[in-house]
């Protein structure tokens, strides 16, 4: 039975201890709310959490930290200094891109260094690259500074930026923009692949995402010592210092709604918690389809959710290797390898839902920067391959394909890490089926709803829900979208929508 809750209660419940949920709890704690964070996993961080196995720490999700000011602003809102709690290390180079013909491209922060890389690959594309940098900066001003931390639940906020979007050719894909600026197919890939970091198809995601190139150039790419898990742990410490609670292995089964307003939650254990303010960091699709399954819905019906295009799936192989710290000296902290096909592979993943034999890989070797990830002299690896999500008619059956596909990844990796398989000391894998089951992600997608132009801003599930008063959303499935800066910024949007906690009179607290 749900205990009635006063409208002036300062209780708030956050569903999910992902980075968006933890950021929301910090923001609400700074506003005076008594926050309880509930999460079904055994560690905070959600997709940014980690697993420690046989002395190796595997960061399960994001590994790259950009736009450090979003964390600095979050900590400052709580009266704290981010850099006293988290040790960020700048990367140089950011990452190395490799192609089948042996050519490489190192992404760096300084313009002169980047121009040298472009000139080495394709001298006649230097002028085009400089134009791309200007394109990127213009899109940053409009798309990041102007929209990321701004509420977009009112249609007018999207309508009024449409003329600028038209001028910037936001209807054109980021790959289309890269093709307009440079001729070399390798550079076209290097300038357009960034949406894959947030689950988007470069052939269809708006050219506004070229702003990432400016973000990298202006603010750098960083690694958090201790992994993103260290950021999540630091966030929990802030929440608890504010008087909030973070409860792990506490799964929410239902958001309770009465008279059109959120009243609290019921856990899978049947425990009921009452609060007039509920924030869901669960995937937007899971929130509306499952957590609100007993409540009437106006906009985000099952049919509406089914019509969305979802981000790609991920196959991730985590493994530790024995005695390899001095091996493969050419493989740095971040390496991106390319399949022979770029556009064809994207079509297989995003359009056809086909698990191809060829693949592009992201190789993360954090021991290059952070020795704590592995025993002395050893290595910890995280190898990611983009694959189709589970929503296609002939979805991949990962119970049969997991080992088959891992063998294909192993054969590809052998080109870059010769002899690595014989040195593996511990390993684990995650497939789209695991993302579905572990993170309750619709279709096992890695990044919720794909960030296409008509699935962004007002067209995305709103931060303030139209389905129940007092219900708000944060995280990858709402505005501004996926990626660590995006989910952290969704909590800043929340803070602009939720008023400060109501004052509860001293006598009333005592009477209770």
């Amino acid at each position: 039975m749900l205990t009635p809750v006063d409208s002036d209660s300062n209780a708030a419940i956050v569903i999910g201890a992902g980075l968006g949920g933890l950021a929301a709890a910090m923001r609400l704690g700074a506003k005076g709310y008594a926050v309880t964070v509930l999460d079904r996993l055994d560690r905070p961080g959600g997709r940014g959490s980690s697993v420690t196995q046989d002395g190796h720490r595997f960061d399960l999700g994001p590994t790259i930290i950009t736009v450090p000011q979003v964390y600095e602003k979050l900590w400052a809102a709580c009266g704290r200094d981010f850099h006293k709690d988290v040790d960020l290390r700048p990367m140089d180079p950011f990452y190395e891109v490799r192609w089948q013909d042996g050519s490489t491209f190192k992404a760096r922060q300084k313009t002169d260094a980047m121009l040298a890389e472009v000139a080495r690959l394709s001298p006649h594309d230097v002028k085009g690259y400089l134009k791309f940098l200007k394109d990127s900066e213009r899109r940053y001003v409009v798309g990041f500074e102007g929209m990321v931390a701004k509420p977009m639940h009112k249609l007018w906020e999207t309508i009024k930026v449409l003329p600028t979007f038209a001028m910037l050719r936001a209807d054109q894909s980021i790959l289309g923009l890269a093709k307009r600026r440079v001729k070399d197919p390798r550079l076209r890939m290097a300038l357009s692949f960034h949406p894959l970091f947030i689950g988007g198809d470069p052939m269809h995601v708006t050219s506004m995402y070229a702003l990432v190139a400016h973000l990298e150039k202006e603010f750098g790419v960083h690694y958090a010592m201790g992994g993103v898990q260290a950021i999540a742990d630091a966030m929990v410490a802030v929440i608890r210092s504010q008087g909030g609670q973070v409860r792990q292995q506490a799964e929410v089964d239902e958001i309770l709604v009465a008279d059109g307003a959120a009243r609290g939650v019921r856990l899978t254990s049947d425990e009921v918690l009452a609060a007039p303010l509920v924030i869901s960091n669960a995937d937007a699709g899971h929130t509306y389809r499952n957590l609100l399954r007993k409540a009437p819905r106006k906009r985000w019906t099952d049919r509406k959710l089914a019509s969305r295009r979802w981000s790609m799936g991920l196959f991730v192989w985590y493994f530790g290797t024995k005695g390899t710290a001095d091996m493969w000296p050419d493989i740095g902290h971040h390496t991106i390898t390319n399949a022979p096909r770029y556009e064809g592979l994207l079509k297989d993943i995003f359009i056809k839902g086909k698990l191809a034999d060829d693949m592009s890989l992201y190789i993360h070797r954090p021991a290059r920067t952070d020795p704590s990830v592995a025993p002395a002299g050893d290595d910890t690896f995280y190898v990611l391959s983009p694959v189709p999500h589970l929503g296609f008619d002939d979805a991949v059956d990962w119970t049969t394909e997991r080992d088959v596909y891992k063998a294909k990844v192993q054969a590809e990796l052998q080109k870059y890490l010769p002899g690595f398989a014989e040195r593996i000391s511990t390993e684990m894998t995650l497939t789209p089926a695991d993302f579905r089951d572990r993170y309750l992600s619709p279709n096992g997608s890695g990044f919720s709803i794909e960030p296409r132009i008509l699935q962004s801003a007002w067209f995305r599930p709103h931060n303030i829900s139209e389905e129940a008063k007092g219900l708000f959303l944060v995280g990858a499935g709402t505005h501004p979208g996926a990626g660590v800066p995006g989910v952290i910024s969704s909590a800043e949007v929340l803070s602009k929508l939720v008023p400060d906690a109501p004052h509860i009179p001293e006598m009333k607290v005592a009477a209770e």
Side-chain angles (χ1 to χ4, degrees):
M1 185 73 181
L2 179 62
T3 304
V5 59
D6 293 335
S7 60
D8 64 351
S9 167
N10 70 341
I13 292 170
V14 176
I15 303 168
L19 299 180
L22 294 174
M26 290 171 66
R27 292 275 185 181
L28 293 176
K31 283 176 167 286
Y33 287 91
V35 185
T36 300
V37 182
L38 305 166
D39 191 88
R40 68 195 298 264
L41 301 179
D42 61 350
R43 299 195 71 171
R47 300 180 197 202
S49 61
S50 67
V51 168
T52 298
Q53 183 171 291
D54 300 321
H56 295 263
R57 189 189 70 243
F58 298 117
D59 299 312
L60 298 181
T63 60
I64 291 174
I65 300 298
T66 58
V67 207
Q69 64 266 36
V70 302
Y71 313 94
E72 294 163 355
K73 286 172 66 178
L74 173 61
W75 257 252
C78 302
R80 298 176 66 124
D81 182 349
F82 170 70
H83 294 287
K84 287 184 178 179
D85 291 344
V86 177
D87 181 4
L88 279 192
R89 302 288 177 91
M91 298 283 98
D92 183 30
F94 299 158
Y95 43 80
E96 183 178 58
V97 184
R98 294 185 168 205
W99 288 274
Q100 297 285 322
D101 63 2
S103 57
T104 64
F105 181 89
K106 289 184 178 179
R108 312 188 90 132
Q109 188 164 12
K110 292 184 178 179
T111 302
D112 288 347
M114 286 291 279
L115 289 174
E117 288 292 299
V118 172
R120 184 173 55 78
L121 272 187
S122 181
H124 61 275
D125 278 324
V126 169
K127 288 184 179 179
Y129 172 71
L130 289 171
K131 290 180 180 178
F132 184 86
L133 285 184
K134 291 181 180 178
D135 295 331
S136 173
E137 184 175 6
R138 285 195 291 265
R139 283 159 176 77
Y140 164 79
V141 171
V142 175
F144 194 90
E145 288 187 347
M147 296 178 67
V148 162
K150 183 176 183 178
M152 297 297 293
H153 61 284
K154 294 181 179 178
L155 182 57
W156 171 244
E157 297 297 335
T158 295
I159 290 174
K160 68 184 183 182
V161 300
L162 291 181
T164 306
F165 270 40
M167 180 186 69
L168 293 174
R169 289 298 311 274
D171 61 306
Q172 186 178 50
S173 73
I174 186 170
L175 178 56
L177 175 63
K179 285 182 174 181
R180 197 151 56 94
R181 294 307 187 203
V182 297
K183 302 300 182 185
D184 190 291
R186 295 167 299 178
L187 281 179
R188 288 174 171 178
M189 175 272 160
L191 298 182
S192 68
F193 79 91
H194 295 91
L196 290 166
F197 284 149
I198 56 172
D201 175 2
M203 294 176 64
H204 292 95
V205 163
T206 170
S207 65
M208 294 301 293
Y209 281 97
L211 63 83
V212 175
H214 182 76
L215 287 179
E216 291 185 344
K217 179 178 178 297
E218 193 69 16
F219 308 115
V221 169
H222 302 78
Y223 173 82
M225 298 298 283
V228 173
Q229 179 72 69
I231 298 178
D233 291 342
M235 297 170 89
V236 170
V238 174
I239 294 163
R240 288 178 173 154
S241 75
Q242 295 170 326
Q245 300 180 57
V246 179
R247 292 176 53 184
Q248 301 295 149
Q249 298 181 309
E251 182 176 352
V252 173
D253 179 63
E254 180 187 357
I255 297 171
L256 301 171
V257 177
D259 300 323
R263 301 297 187 189
V265 299
R266 176 180 286 109
L267 307 187
T268 53
S269 64
D270 278 338
E271 180 184 358
V272 170
L273 286 80
L277 181 60
V278 177
I279 292 85
S280 181
N281 181 219
D283 189 282
H286 178 75
T287 298
Y288 286 128
R289 181 175 290 159
N290 299 98
L291 300 184
L292 284 176
R293 63 187 181 276
K294 296 180 182 178
R297 285 176 277 151
K298 305 168 188 174
R299 185 181 185 201
W300 291 104
T301 62
D302 288 349
R303 183 176 178 182
K304 178 83 169 180
L305 290 168
S307 69
R308 299 299 86 187
R309 296 195 68 92
W310 294 84
S311 63
M312 67 196 182
L314 303 174
F315 178 90
V316 196
W317 185 10
Y318 311 86
F319 55 87
T321 51
K322 195 75 177 169
T324 61
D326 296 325
M327 295 180 67
W328 316 302
D330 58 324
I331 299 296
H333 191 128
H334 303 291
T335 304
I336 296 162
T337 74
N338 275 278
R341 304 176 303 144
Y342 181 43
E343 294 184 45
L345 185 58
L346 292 175
K347 287 178 182 176
D348 284 346
I349 294 168
F350 288 95
I351 307 301
K352 299 178 181 178
K354 174 188 173 185
L355 189 61
D357 289 329
D358 59 338
M359 64 192 68
S360 294
L361 301 174
Y362 164 55
I363 305 171
H364 184 226
R365 190 185 190 183
R368 284 293 196 185
T369 305
D370 184 357
S372 72
V373 301
D378 298 349
D379 262 312
T380 292
F381 285 92
Y382 157 137
V383 178
L384 180 152
S385 175
V387 295
H389 62 62
L390 301 175
F392 292 94
D393 290 338
D394 295 318
V396 178
D397 180 359
W398 285 103
T399 59
T400 58
E401 288 293 335
R402 181 191 300 262
D403 291 341
V404 174
Y405 194 71
K406 190 179 84 167
K408 293 177 182 178
V409 173
Q410 179 175 321
E412 184 66 21
L413 269 179
Q414 183 69 22
K415 300 174 184 176
Y416 308 96
L417 305 171
F420 83 96
E422 291 76 26
R423 292 179 174 268
I424 291 177
S425 56
T426 189
E427 62 181 311
M428 58 177 281
T429 57
L430 288 181
T431 73
D434 297 309
F435 274 76
R436 177 195 62 204
D437 299 339
R438 178 180 174 86
Y439 303 119
L440 306 179
S441 177
N443 299 318
S445 62
F447 307 88
S448 192
I449 295 170
E450 189 184 356
R452 294 197 178 196
I453 193 165
L454 293 180
Q455 295 189 160
S456 300
W458 181 85
F459 300 100
R460 207 164 181 82
H462 300 158
N463 304 93
I464 181 169
S465 175
E466 53 271 90
E467 308 297 357
K469 183 180 178 182
L471 175 62
F472 297 81
L473 276 68
V474 294
T478 187
H479 174 71
V484 181
V487 300
I488 298 292
S489 295
S490 71
E492 184 177 352
V493 175
L494 171 77
S495 71
K496 296 173 181 177
L497 298 172
V498 175
D500 290 347
H503 174 69
I504 301 180
E506 199 84 27
M507 288 179 60
K508 184 172 183 181
V509 173
E512 289 177 351

